[in-house]
mmCIF file of all heavy atoms in Angstrom:
data_model
loop_
_atom_site.group_PDB
_atom_site.id
_atom_site.type_symbol
_atom_site.label_atom_id
_atom_site.label_comp_id
_atom_site.label_asym_id
_atom_site.label_seq_id
_atom_site.Cartn_x
_atom_site.Cartn_y
_atom_site.Cartn_z
ATOM 1 N N THR A 1 -112.907 99.106 -78.866
ATOM 2 C CA THR A 1 -114.170 98.928 -79.578
ATOM 3 C C THR A 1 -114.526 100.120 -80.450
ATOM 4 O O THR A 1 -114.829 99.968 -81.632
ATOM 5 C CB THR A 1 -115.307 98.621 -78.583
ATOM 6 O OG1 THR A 1 -114.945 97.444 -77.853
ATOM 7 C CG2 THR A 1 -116.619 98.395 -79.292
ATOM 8 N N SER A 2 -114.488 101.319 -79.883
ATOM 9 C CA SER A 2 -114.865 102.495 -80.690
ATOM 10 C C SER A 2 -113.874 102.721 -81.826
ATOM 11 O O SER A 2 -114.269 103.137 -82.919
ATOM 12 C CB SER A 2 -115.004 103.741 -79.820
ATOM 13 O OG SER A 2 -113.787 104.048 -79.198
ATOM 14 N N GLU A 3 -112.597 102.433 -81.609
ATOM 15 C CA GLU A 3 -111.611 102.549 -82.690
ATOM 16 C C GLU A 3 -111.943 101.591 -83.835
ATOM 17 O O GLU A 3 -111.862 101.962 -85.011
ATOM 18 C CB GLU A 3 -110.200 102.238 -82.176
ATOM 19 C CG GLU A 3 -109.641 103.228 -81.200
ATOM 20 C CD GLU A 3 -108.324 102.751 -80.589
ATOM 21 O OE1 GLU A 3 -107.772 101.717 -81.045
ATOM 22 O OE2 GLU A 3 -107.844 103.410 -79.647
ATOM 23 N N LEU A 4 -112.284 100.364 -83.464
ATOM 24 C CA LEU A 4 -112.651 99.366 -84.481
ATOM 25 C C LEU A 4 -113.861 99.827 -85.288
ATOM 26 O O LEU A 4 -113.884 99.705 -86.512
ATOM 27 C CB LEU A 4 -112.970 98.016 -83.823
ATOM 28 C CG LEU A 4 -111.797 97.193 -83.332
ATOM 29 C CD1 LEU A 4 -112.290 96.064 -82.432
ATOM 30 C CD2 LEU A 4 -111.008 96.644 -84.504
ATOM 31 N N LEU A 5 -114.851 100.346 -84.594
ATOM 32 C CA LEU A 5 -116.064 100.806 -85.282
ATOM 33 C C LEU A 5 -115.760 101.984 -86.204
ATOM 34 O O LEU A 5 -116.254 102.039 -87.333
ATOM 35 C CB LEU A 5 -117.140 101.170 -84.258
ATOM 36 C CG LEU A 5 -117.729 99.971 -83.504
ATOM 37 C CD1 LEU A 5 -118.487 100.434 -82.264
ATOM 38 C CD2 LEU A 5 -118.616 99.133 -84.421
ATOM 39 N N GLU A 6 -114.936 102.911 -85.745
ATOM 40 C CA GLU A 6 -114.548 104.058 -86.589
ATOM 41 C C GLU A 6 -113.756 103.591 -87.809
ATOM 42 O O GLU A 6 -113.978 104.088 -88.925
ATOM 43 C CB GLU A 6 -113.732 105.073 -85.781
ATOM 44 C CG GLU A 6 -114.497 105.766 -84.677
ATOM 45 C CD GLU A 6 -115.525 106.778 -85.160
ATOM 46 O OE1 GLU A 6 -115.579 107.080 -86.368
ATOM 47 O OE2 GLU A 6 -116.289 107.259 -84.305
ATOM 48 N N GLU A 7 -112.830 102.652 -87.609
ATOM 49 C CA GLU A 7 -112.068 102.099 -88.738
ATOM 50 C C GLU A 7 -113.011 101.466 -89.751
ATOM 51 O O GLU A 7 -112.863 101.647 -90.964
ATOM 52 C CB GLU A 7 -111.084 101.026 -88.253
ATOM 53 C CG GLU A 7 -109.883 101.541 -87.520
ATOM 54 C CD GLU A 7 -109.043 100.398 -86.927
ATOM 55 O OE1 GLU A 7 -109.106 99.252 -87.428
ATOM 56 O OE2 GLU A 7 -108.312 100.670 -85.953
ATOM 57 N N ARG A 8 -113.965 100.704 -89.239
ATOM 58 C CA ARG A 8 -114.901 100.014 -90.126
ATOM 59 C C ARG A 8 -115.753 101.014 -90.888
ATOM 60 O O ARG A 8 -116.008 100.836 -92.080
ATOM 61 C CB ARG A 8 -115.780 99.059 -89.309
ATOM 62 C CG ARG A 8 -116.666 98.181 -90.129
ATOM 63 C CD ARG A 8 -115.835 97.282 -91.066
ATOM 64 N NE ARG A 8 -116.608 96.149 -91.488
ATOM 65 C CZ ARG A 8 -116.130 94.937 -91.627
ATOM 66 N NH1 ARG A 8 -114.867 94.683 -91.405
ATOM 67 N NH2 ARG A 8 -116.899 93.958 -92.011
ATOM 68 N N ILE A 9 -116.192 102.073 -90.236
ATOM 69 C CA ILE A 9 -116.995 103.098 -90.907
ATOM 70 C C ILE A 9 -116.208 103.718 -92.054
ATOM 71 O O ILE A 9 -116.735 103.901 -93.156
ATOM 72 C CB ILE A 9 -117.483 104.164 -89.905
ATOM 73 C CG1 ILE A 9 -118.548 103.551 -88.987
ATOM 74 C CG2 ILE A 9 -118.014 105.398 -90.619
ATOM 75 C CD1 ILE A 9 -118.897 104.401 -87.780
ATOM 76 N N ARG A 10 -114.934 104.013 -91.837
ATOM 77 C CA ARG A 10 -114.116 104.580 -92.916
ATOM 78 C C ARG A 10 -114.024 103.603 -94.097
ATOM 79 O O ARG A 10 -114.147 103.993 -95.256
ATOM 80 C CB ARG A 10 -112.723 104.949 -92.405
ATOM 81 C CG ARG A 10 -112.723 106.204 -91.545
ATOM 82 C CD ARG A 10 -111.318 106.695 -91.242
ATOM 83 N NE ARG A 10 -110.539 105.770 -90.436
ATOM 84 C CZ ARG A 10 -110.599 105.669 -89.114
ATOM 85 N NH1 ARG A 10 -111.395 106.458 -88.424
ATOM 86 N NH2 ARG A 10 -109.831 104.809 -88.463
ATOM 87 N N TYR A 11 -113.805 102.339 -93.787
ATOM 88 C CA TYR A 11 -113.744 101.315 -94.831
ATOM 89 C C TYR A 11 -115.080 101.232 -95.580
ATOM 90 O O TYR A 11 -115.114 101.183 -96.812
ATOM 91 C CB TYR A 11 -113.392 99.960 -94.198
ATOM 92 C CG TYR A 11 -113.688 98.781 -95.092
ATOM 93 C CD1 TYR A 11 -112.838 98.474 -96.155
ATOM 94 C CD2 TYR A 11 -114.815 97.984 -94.894
ATOM 95 C CE1 TYR A 11 -113.110 97.395 -96.982
ATOM 96 C CE2 TYR A 11 -115.090 96.917 -95.719
ATOM 97 C CZ TYR A 11 -114.244 96.624 -96.764
ATOM 98 O OH TYR A 11 -114.517 95.572 -97.595
ATOM 99 N N LEU A 12 -116.171 101.218 -94.849
ATOM 100 C CA LEU A 12 -117.494 101.101 -95.469
ATOM 101 C C LEU A 12 -117.822 102.325 -96.330
ATOM 102 O O LEU A 12 -118.430 102.190 -97.394
ATOM 103 C CB LEU A 12 -118.573 100.901 -94.393
ATOM 104 C CG LEU A 12 -118.473 99.584 -93.624
ATOM 105 C CD1 LEU A 12 -119.379 99.617 -92.399
ATOM 106 C CD2 LEU A 12 -118.796 98.399 -94.519
ATOM 107 N N GLU A 13 -117.402 103.495 -95.899
ATOM 108 C CA GLU A 13 -117.621 104.704 -96.699
ATOM 109 C C GLU A 13 -116.878 104.616 -98.032
ATOM 110 O O GLU A 13 -117.406 105.018 -99.071
ATOM 111 C CB GLU A 13 -117.224 105.948 -95.911
ATOM 112 C CG GLU A 13 -118.229 106.267 -94.811
ATOM 113 C CD GLU A 13 -117.793 107.375 -93.877
ATOM 114 O OE1 GLU A 13 -116.575 107.719 -93.844
ATOM 115 O OE2 GLU A 13 -118.677 107.897 -93.157
ATOM 116 N N GLU A 14 -115.664 104.080 -98.014
ATOM 117 C CA GLU A 14 -114.917 103.874 -99.262
ATOM 118 C C GLU A 14 -115.637 102.860 -100.145
ATOM 119 O O GLU A 14 -115.753 103.045 -101.361
ATOM 120 C CB GLU A 14 -113.487 103.416 -98.963
ATOM 121 C CG GLU A 14 -112.665 103.065 -100.182
ATOM 122 C CD GLU A 14 -112.475 104.224 -101.151
ATOM 123 O OE1 GLU A 14 -112.505 105.398 -100.730
ATOM 124 O OE2 GLU A 14 -112.309 103.949 -102.355
ATOM 125 N N GLN A 15 -116.133 101.790 -99.549
ATOM 126 C CA GLN A 15 -116.885 100.787 -100.305
ATOM 127 C C GLN A 15 -118.145 101.392 -100.923
ATOM 128 O O GLN A 15 -118.483 101.091 -102.069
ATOM 129 C CB GLN A 15 -117.270 99.610 -99.392
ATOM 130 C CG GLN A 15 -116.110 98.732 -98.994
ATOM 131 C CD GLN A 15 -115.573 97.962 -100.172
ATOM 132 O OE1 GLN A 15 -116.270 97.157 -100.763
ATOM 133 N NE2 GLN A 15 -114.330 98.217 -100.532
ATOM 134 N N LEU A 16 -118.824 102.248 -100.180
ATOM 135 C CA LEU A 16 -120.024 102.908 -100.703
ATOM 136 C C LEU A 16 -119.678 103.792 -101.901
ATOM 137 O O LEU A 16 -120.386 103.770 -102.922
ATOM 138 C CB LEU A 16 -120.708 103.732 -99.607
ATOM 139 C CG LEU A 16 -121.431 102.931 -98.527
ATOM 140 C CD1 LEU A 16 -121.796 103.825 -97.349
ATOM 141 C CD2 LEU A 16 -122.662 102.238 -99.092
ATOM 142 N N ARG A 17 -118.583 104.548 -101.798
ATOM 143 C CA ARG A 17 -118.168 105.406 -102.927
ATOM 144 C C ARG A 17 -117.853 104.567 -104.163
ATOM 145 O O ARG A 17 -118.284 104.887 -105.278
ATOM 146 C CB ARG A 17 -116.958 106.261 -102.539
ATOM 147 C CG ARG A 17 -117.298 107.439 -101.657
ATOM 148 C CD ARG A 17 -116.116 108.393 -101.493
ATOM 149 N NE ARG A 17 -115.004 107.798 -100.765
ATOM 150 C CZ ARG A 17 -114.918 107.755 -99.427
ATOM 151 N NH1 ARG A 17 -115.860 108.265 -98.680
ATOM 152 N NH2 ARG A 17 -113.869 107.208 -98.843
ATOM 153 N N GLU A 18 -117.087 103.487 -103.976
ATOM 154 C CA GLU A 18 -116.724 102.625 -105.107
ATOM 155 C C GLU A 18 -117.959 101.965 -105.724
ATOM 156 O O GLU A 18 -118.067 101.857 -106.945
ATOM 157 C CB GLU A 18 -115.722 101.552 -104.664
ATOM 158 C CG GLU A 18 -114.347 102.079 -104.321
ATOM 159 C CD GLU A 18 -113.636 102.672 -105.522
ATOM 160 O OE1 GLU A 18 -113.776 102.154 -106.649
ATOM 161 O OE2 GLU A 18 -112.918 103.673 -105.333
ATOM 162 N N THR A 19 -118.870 101.531 -104.874
ATOM 163 C CA THR A 19 -120.076 100.880 -105.372
ATOM 164 C C THR A 19 -120.962 101.873 -106.110
ATOM 165 O O THR A 19 -121.527 101.550 -107.160
ATOM 166 C CB THR A 19 -120.842 100.201 -104.212
ATOM 167 O OG1 THR A 19 -119.947 99.339 -103.515
ATOM 168 C CG2 THR A 19 -122.017 99.387 -104.727
ATOM 169 N N GLU A 20 -121.072 103.086 -105.594
ATOM 170 C CA GLU A 20 -121.841 104.132 -106.288
ATOM 171 C C GLU A 20 -121.261 104.399 -107.670
ATOM 172 O O GLU A 20 -121.999 104.517 -108.649
ATOM 173 C CB GLU A 20 -121.833 105.430 -105.477
ATOM 174 C CG GLU A 20 -122.800 105.442 -104.336
ATOM 175 C CD GLU A 20 -122.706 106.736 -103.511
ATOM 176 O OE1 GLU A 20 -121.625 107.374 -103.481
ATOM 177 O OE2 GLU A 20 -123.725 107.089 -102.902
ATOM 178 N N LYS A 21 -119.919 104.493 -107.749
ATOM 179 C CA LYS A 21 -119.275 104.724 -109.053
ATOM 180 C C LYS A 21 -119.595 103.586 -110.016
ATOM 181 O O LYS A 21 -119.874 103.817 -111.193
ATOM 182 C CB LYS A 21 -117.753 104.860 -108.886
ATOM 183 C CG LYS A 21 -117.331 106.190 -108.359
ATOM 184 C CD LYS A 21 -115.838 106.400 -108.136
ATOM 185 C CE LYS A 21 -114.870 105.406 -108.611
ATOM 186 N NZ LYS A 21 -113.486 105.657 -108.196
ATOM 187 N N THR A 22 -119.573 102.373 -109.525
ATOM 188 C CA THR A 22 -119.866 101.218 -110.364
ATOM 189 C C THR A 22 -121.313 101.245 -110.836
ATOM 190 O O THR A 22 -121.607 100.964 -111.997
ATOM 191 C CB THR A 22 -119.557 99.908 -109.618
ATOM 192 O OG1 THR A 22 -118.179 99.927 -109.237
ATOM 193 C CG2 THR A 22 -119.841 98.689 -110.481
ATOM 194 N N LEU A 23 -122.234 101.589 -109.948
ATOM 195 C CA LEU A 23 -123.647 101.671 -110.325
ATOM 196 C C LEU A 23 -123.854 102.720 -111.418
ATOM 197 O O LEU A 23 -124.582 102.481 -112.386
ATOM 198 C CB LEU A 23 -124.510 101.999 -109.101
ATOM 199 C CG LEU A 23 -124.752 100.841 -108.144
ATOM 200 C CD1 LEU A 23 -125.295 101.338 -106.807
ATOM 201 C CD2 LEU A 23 -125.697 99.818 -108.755
ATOM 202 N N VAL A 24 -123.200 103.867 -111.282
ATOM 203 C CA VAL A 24 -123.309 104.923 -112.299
ATOM 204 C C VAL A 24 -122.732 104.434 -113.625
ATOM 205 O O VAL A 24 -123.321 104.636 -114.692
ATOM 206 C CB VAL A 24 -122.613 106.214 -111.823
ATOM 207 C CG1 VAL A 24 -122.454 107.211 -112.965
ATOM 208 C CG2 VAL A 24 -123.392 106.831 -110.669
ATOM 209 N N THR A 25 -121.593 103.759 -113.578
ATOM 210 C CA THR A 25 -120.973 103.227 -114.792
ATOM 211 C C THR A 25 -121.898 102.232 -115.486
ATOM 212 O O THR A 25 -122.069 102.280 -116.706
ATOM 213 C CB THR A 25 -119.620 102.558 -114.465
ATOM 214 O OG1 THR A 25 -118.754 103.541 -113.891
ATOM 215 C CG2 THR A 25 -118.971 101.968 -115.708
ATOM 216 N N ILE A 26 -122.503 101.335 -114.717
ATOM 217 C CA ILE A 26 -123.436 100.363 -115.302
ATOM 218 C C ILE A 26 -124.617 101.087 -115.932
ATOM 219 O O ILE A 26 -125.015 100.776 -117.062
ATOM 220 C CB ILE A 26 -123.914 99.341 -114.236
ATOM 221 C CG1 ILE A 26 -122.758 98.436 -113.801
ATOM 222 C CG2 ILE A 26 -125.077 98.504 -114.768
ATOM 223 C CD1 ILE A 26 -123.076 97.563 -112.593
ATOM 224 N N GLN A 27 -125.169 102.054 -115.215
ATOM 225 C CA GLN A 27 -126.298 102.821 -115.752
ATOM 226 C C GLN A 27 -125.930 103.488 -117.071
ATOM 227 O O GLN A 27 -126.686 103.402 -118.044
ATOM 228 C CB GLN A 27 -126.717 103.920 -114.766
ATOM 229 C CG GLN A 27 -127.579 103.459 -113.642
ATOM 230 C CD GLN A 27 -127.921 104.623 -112.732
ATOM 231 O OE1 GLN A 27 -127.335 104.759 -111.680
ATOM 232 N NE2 GLN A 27 -128.847 105.447 -113.151
ATOM 233 N N GLU A 28 -124.791 104.154 -117.099
ATOM 234 C CA GLU A 28 -124.379 104.895 -118.292
ATOM 235 C C GLU A 28 -124.026 103.956 -119.441
ATOM 236 O O GLU A 28 -124.412 104.191 -120.581
ATOM 237 C CB GLU A 28 -123.208 105.821 -117.967
ATOM 238 C CG GLU A 28 -123.607 106.965 -117.066
ATOM 239 C CD GLU A 28 -122.429 107.808 -116.601
ATOM 240 O OE1 GLU A 28 -121.262 107.420 -116.844
ATOM 241 O OE2 GLU A 28 -122.682 108.857 -115.969
ATOM 242 N N THR A 29 -123.284 102.899 -119.132
ATOM 243 C CA THR A 29 -122.843 101.970 -120.169
ATOM 244 C C THR A 29 -124.021 101.254 -120.816
ATOM 245 O O THR A 29 -124.059 101.079 -122.030
ATOM 246 C CB THR A 29 -121.862 100.925 -119.576
ATOM 247 O OG1 THR A 29 -120.768 101.615 -118.990
ATOM 248 C CG2 THR A 29 -121.349 99.978 -120.644
ATOM 249 N N LEU A 30 -124.980 100.840 -120.004
ATOM 250 C CA LEU A 30 -126.117 100.076 -120.521
ATOM 251 C C LEU A 30 -127.337 100.942 -120.810
ATOM 252 O O LEU A 30 -128.361 100.433 -121.255
ATOM 253 C CB LEU A 30 -126.481 98.953 -119.540
ATOM 254 C CG LEU A 30 -125.361 97.948 -119.250
ATOM 255 C CD1 LEU A 30 -125.807 96.930 -118.223
ATOM 256 C CD2 LEU A 30 -124.895 97.265 -120.532
ATOM 257 N N GLY A 31 -127.249 102.236 -120.526
ATOM 258 C CA GLY A 31 -128.366 103.135 -120.795
ATOM 259 C C GLY A 31 -129.595 102.849 -119.951
ATOM 260 O O GLY A 31 -130.721 102.964 -120.437
ATOM 261 N N LEU A 32 -129.371 102.480 -118.700
ATOM 262 C CA LEU A 32 -130.499 102.184 -117.811
ATOM 263 C C LEU A 32 -131.045 103.497 -117.263
ATOM 264 O O LEU A 32 -130.356 104.209 -116.554
ATOM 265 C CB LEU A 32 -130.045 101.294 -116.646
ATOM 266 C CG LEU A 32 -129.326 99.995 -117.002
ATOM 267 C CD1 LEU A 32 -128.868 99.285 -115.733
ATOM 268 C CD2 LEU A 32 -130.208 99.097 -117.835
ATOM 269 N N THR A 33 -132.280 103.812 -117.604
ATOM 270 C CA THR A 33 -132.861 105.072 -117.145
ATOM 271 C C THR A 33 -134.056 104.869 -116.224
ATOM 272 O O THR A 33 -134.225 105.605 -115.270
ATOM 273 C CB THR A 33 -133.279 105.948 -118.344
ATOM 274 O OG1 THR A 33 -134.145 105.187 -119.192
ATOM 275 C CG2 THR A 33 -132.064 106.417 -119.130
ATOM 276 N N SER A 34 -134.861 103.881 -116.491
ATOM 277 C CA SER A 34 -136.057 103.680 -115.671
ATOM 278 C C SER A 34 -135.777 102.698 -114.536
ATOM 279 O O SER A 34 -134.846 101.904 -114.597
ATOM 280 C CB SER A 34 -137.212 103.157 -116.527
ATOM 281 O OG SER A 34 -136.981 101.809 -116.889
ATOM 282 N N SER A 35 -136.622 102.757 -113.525
ATOM 283 C CA SER A 35 -136.464 101.823 -112.407
ATOM 284 C C SER A 35 -136.728 100.389 -112.864
ATOM 285 O O SER A 35 -136.119 99.452 -112.348
ATOM 286 C CB SER A 35 -137.383 102.203 -111.245
ATOM 287 O OG SER A 35 -138.726 102.204 -111.654
ATOM 288 N N ASP A 36 -137.604 100.189 -113.847
ATOM 289 C CA ASP A 36 -137.853 98.846 -114.382
ATOM 290 C C ASP A 36 -136.612 98.292 -115.084
ATOM 291 O O ASP A 36 -136.297 97.113 -114.945
ATOM 292 C CB ASP A 36 -139.030 98.842 -115.359
ATOM 293 C CG ASP A 36 -140.375 98.932 -114.656
ATOM 294 O OD1 ASP A 36 -140.419 98.676 -113.426
ATOM 295 O OD2 ASP A 36 -141.367 99.265 -115.329
ATOM 296 N N GLU A 37 -135.915 99.145 -115.842
ATOM 297 C CA GLU A 37 -134.685 98.704 -116.513
ATOM 298 C C GLU A 37 -133.618 98.316 -115.487
ATOM 299 O O GLU A 37 -132.936 97.310 -115.650
ATOM 300 C CB GLU A 37 -134.149 99.811 -117.429
ATOM 301 C CG GLU A 37 -134.988 100.050 -118.660
ATOM 302 C CD GLU A 37 -134.543 101.272 -119.440
ATOM 303 O OE1 GLU A 37 -134.044 102.247 -118.829
ATOM 304 O OE2 GLU A 37 -134.709 101.255 -120.668
ATOM 305 N N LYS A 38 -133.507 99.102 -114.434
ATOM 306 C CA LYS A 38 -132.528 98.802 -113.378
ATOM 307 C C LYS A 38 -132.914 97.525 -112.643
ATOM 308 O O LYS A 38 -132.061 96.705 -112.321
ATOM 309 C CB LYS A 38 -132.428 99.969 -112.397
ATOM 310 C CG LYS A 38 -131.825 101.221 -113.002
ATOM 311 C CD LYS A 38 -131.905 102.367 -112.040
ATOM 312 C CE LYS A 38 -131.473 103.660 -112.718
ATOM 313 N NZ LYS A 38 -131.712 104.838 -111.878
ATOM 314 N N LYS A 39 -134.200 97.358 -112.400
ATOM 315 C CA LYS A 39 -134.679 96.189 -111.665
ATOM 316 C C LYS A 39 -134.440 94.898 -112.437
ATOM 317 O O LYS A 39 -134.164 93.850 -111.854
ATOM 318 C CB LYS A 39 -136.169 96.337 -111.381
ATOM 319 C CG LYS A 39 -136.699 95.399 -110.354
ATOM 320 C CD LYS A 39 -138.167 95.686 -110.095
ATOM 321 C CE LYS A 39 -138.462 95.541 -108.639
ATOM 322 N NZ LYS A 39 -139.834 95.870 -108.308
ATOM 323 N N SER A 40 -134.514 94.968 -113.764
ATOM 324 C CA SER A 40 -134.353 93.757 -114.569
ATOM 325 C C SER A 40 -132.906 93.505 -114.992
ATOM 326 O O SER A 40 -132.621 92.517 -115.660
ATOM 327 C CB SER A 40 -135.252 93.820 -115.804
ATOM 328 O OG SER A 40 -134.837 94.875 -116.647
ATOM 329 N N ASN A 41 -131.974 94.372 -114.587
ATOM 330 C CA ASN A 41 -130.570 94.205 -114.947
ATOM 331 C C ASN A 41 -129.812 93.610 -113.763
ATOM 332 O O ASN A 41 -129.603 94.283 -112.750
ATOM 333 C CB ASN A 41 -129.970 95.547 -115.356
ATOM 334 C CG ASN A 41 -128.549 95.399 -115.816
ATOM 335 O OD1 ASN A 41 -127.637 95.399 -114.997
ATOM 336 N ND2 ASN A 41 -128.350 95.266 -117.102
ATOM 337 N N MET A 42 -129.417 92.340 -113.886
ATOM 338 C CA MET A 42 -128.816 91.642 -112.754
ATOM 339 C C MET A 42 -127.490 92.247 -112.290
ATOM 340 O O MET A 42 -127.287 92.391 -111.081
ATOM 341 C CB MET A 42 -128.662 90.157 -113.053
ATOM 342 C CG MET A 42 -128.463 89.320 -111.818
ATOM 343 S SD MET A 42 -129.681 89.608 -110.488
ATOM 344 C CE MET A 42 -131.191 89.022 -111.243
ATOM 345 N N PRO A 43 -126.559 92.630 -113.179
ATOM 346 C CA PRO A 43 -125.337 93.271 -112.661
ATOM 347 C C PRO A 43 -125.657 94.518 -111.832
ATOM 348 O O PRO A 43 -125.075 94.726 -110.761
ATOM 349 C CB PRO A 43 -124.549 93.626 -113.925
ATOM 350 C CG PRO A 43 -124.992 92.605 -114.915
ATOM 351 C CD PRO A 43 -126.458 92.378 -114.624
ATOM 352 N N TYR A 44 -126.606 95.319 -112.299
ATOM 353 C CA TYR A 44 -126.991 96.511 -111.533
ATOM 354 C C TYR A 44 -127.549 96.099 -110.175
ATOM 355 O O TYR A 44 -127.193 96.666 -109.143
ATOM 356 C CB TYR A 44 -128.011 97.342 -112.309
ATOM 357 C CG TYR A 44 -128.353 98.632 -111.614
ATOM 358 C CD1 TYR A 44 -127.593 99.782 -111.835
ATOM 359 C CD2 TYR A 44 -129.410 98.704 -110.715
ATOM 360 C CE1 TYR A 44 -127.883 100.969 -111.176
ATOM 361 C CE2 TYR A 44 -129.706 99.883 -110.046
ATOM 362 C CZ TYR A 44 -128.936 101.002 -110.285
ATOM 363 O OH TYR A 44 -129.215 102.175 -109.621
ATOM 364 N N GLN A 45 -128.410 95.099 -110.161
ATOM 365 C CA GLN A 45 -129.039 94.654 -108.915
ATOM 366 C C GLN A 45 -128.024 94.067 -107.933
ATOM 367 O O GLN A 45 -128.144 94.247 -106.724
ATOM 368 C CB GLN A 45 -130.153 93.638 -109.200
ATOM 369 C CG GLN A 45 -131.397 94.276 -109.777
ATOM 370 C CD GLN A 45 -131.938 95.381 -108.875
ATOM 371 O OE1 GLN A 45 -132.125 95.189 -107.683
ATOM 372 N NE2 GLN A 45 -132.177 96.540 -109.458
ATOM 373 N N ILE A 46 -127.026 93.384 -108.433
ATOM 374 C CA ILE A 46 -125.999 92.815 -107.560
ATOM 375 C C ILE A 46 -125.214 93.933 -106.861
ATOM 376 O O ILE A 46 -124.966 93.869 -105.657
ATOM 377 C CB ILE A 46 -125.071 91.873 -108.349
ATOM 378 C CG1 ILE A 46 -125.853 90.608 -108.719
ATOM 379 C CG2 ILE A 46 -123.803 91.539 -107.560
ATOM 380 C CD1 ILE A 46 -125.171 89.727 -109.727
ATOM 381 N N TYR A 47 -124.855 94.971 -107.611
ATOM 382 C CA TYR A 47 -124.141 96.087 -106.993
ATOM 383 C C TYR A 47 -125.069 96.903 -106.098
ATOM 384 O O TYR A 47 -124.641 97.451 -105.085
ATOM 385 C CB TYR A 47 -123.453 96.956 -108.043
ATOM 386 C CG TYR A 47 -122.176 96.322 -108.521
ATOM 387 C CD1 TYR A 47 -122.149 95.558 -109.682
ATOM 388 C CD2 TYR A 47 -120.999 96.456 -107.804
ATOM 389 C CE1 TYR A 47 -120.983 94.950 -110.106
ATOM 390 C CE2 TYR A 47 -119.827 95.857 -108.217
ATOM 391 C CZ TYR A 47 -119.827 95.107 -109.372
ATOM 392 O OH TYR A 47 -118.676 94.504 -109.781
#
């Protein structure tokens, strides 16, 4: 059980890093600066 949980945490940490990179890319590419702009951008909201 603890091995499974540790494995999953490592996987989830990689997913978090990849998702963060994608969010930054969307922000930079679309010039999203305000929270309202981010809130109204569906690709950003999905990630």
Side-chain angles (χ1 to χ4, degrees):
T1 302
S2 61
E3 293 172 8
L4 285 167
L5 290 164
E6 294 288 352
E7 287 173 24
R8 187 61 160 219
I9 289 168
R10 286 190 295 278
Y11 163 77
L12 294 168
E13 287 172 343
E14 175 61 27
Q15 289 292 298
L16 288 167
R17 283 190 294 276
E18 291 295 323
T19 307
E20 281 177 333
K21 283 179 9 187
T22 302
L23 284 165
V24 168
T25 300
I26 292 170
Q27 279 180 258
E28 291 173 352
T29 303
L30 301 177
L32 306 176
T33 54
S34 72
S35 59
D36 284 343
E37 289 172 329
K38 293 173 188 172
K39 195 177 219 177
S40 65
N41 184 275
M42 198 50 66
Y44 185 88
Q45 286 304 309
I46 289 168
Y47 281 96

